[in-house]
Every structure is written in C-alpha cells, then in structure tokens.
Amino acid sequence: MSTLETGVVVVAPGEGNRRLFESLRATRVIEGGQTMNPSTEEIVAAVDATPATEVIVLPNNSNVILSAEQAVELVNKPMRVLPTRTLQAGLAAMVGYDPESPAAENETTMAQALEGLATGEITIASRD
C-alpha cells in the first residue's frame, strides 16, 4: 500500500456507514457502535496504522471528540481532529477530502464544507 499525504480516520457505527465513508476514501473506519465511544487507544491504533504522512480524525459524535483530542499526544505521526459532531457532518467534510493534499489544506477545505451545515436527529427513547 502506498503512502498517502493525508489519511482520514472516521468513527462510524454499522457496516452501511463504514461502506459510505470508505466510498468517500476514508482510510480507516473505527466501529463506533451504539454508544459511539471508541477508546483513545483504538483511535491511536487506527491513526498509527494509517499509511499516511499525516492524519485527520473525524469523531462524528460529541462524545468522541475528547478521546480523539487526547490521541493527538499519543500517536506517532502528526494528527489533527476536525470536531465533527454528527455522521452527516463527517460525510459533508469527506466531500472536501483529497488524499494527495497536505493535512492543513485538507483541514481547511473540510472545515469549509461544514460551514452553515445544520443537522437533526430522530431517535427512539431508551425508556418510557
């Protein structure tokens, strides 16, 4: 596998979301599961395993942003966190991703894709 300039690690639940992010060239997808709470160690492992000079992480959930930010100090390569709070925001950011561009350029382009983005969510209550 060749080395990319910038890789993207995404947190997303389910096989369908995995395939969607992979179709947009996500380098690694961490299974977020029902709670969307992968550990900092899982994020570090995914970033370190990414064949890229630099990596951008899309947490896609407000609960994951802190773990991703903690991973920055533990990884073996430059890493940035684009604090996406929803899957829709992560998908919008991926539209601006170019694996051959430097991480700073990707981060700017991906963040611009989030400007003005509004998302909503419907869920089933866990109790009555």
Side-chain angles (χ1 to χ4, degrees), residues 1-70:
M1 185 180 270
S2 62
T3 300
L4 306 169
E5 183 67 29
T6 303
V8 174
V9 171
V10 175
V11 178
E15 186 60 32
N17 287 316
R18 171 185 295 279
R19 286 194 307 269
L20 195 52
F21 277 102
E22 287 173 346
S23 76
L24 293 169
R25 301 178 295 177
T27 319
R28 297 251 186 255
V29 180
I30 300 170
E31 174 63 45
Q34 187 72 13
T35 60
M36 286 290 288
N37 282 323
S39 68
T40 299
E41 291 78 19
E42 288 174 282
I43 296 169
V44 168
V47 168
D48 284 344
T50 299
T53 306
E54 298 180 84
V55 177
I56 295 174
V57 174
L58 303 180
N60 296 333
N61 187 296
S62 56
N63 294 334
V64 181
I65 294 172
L66 182 59
S67 294
E69 289 172 343
Q70 290 172 340

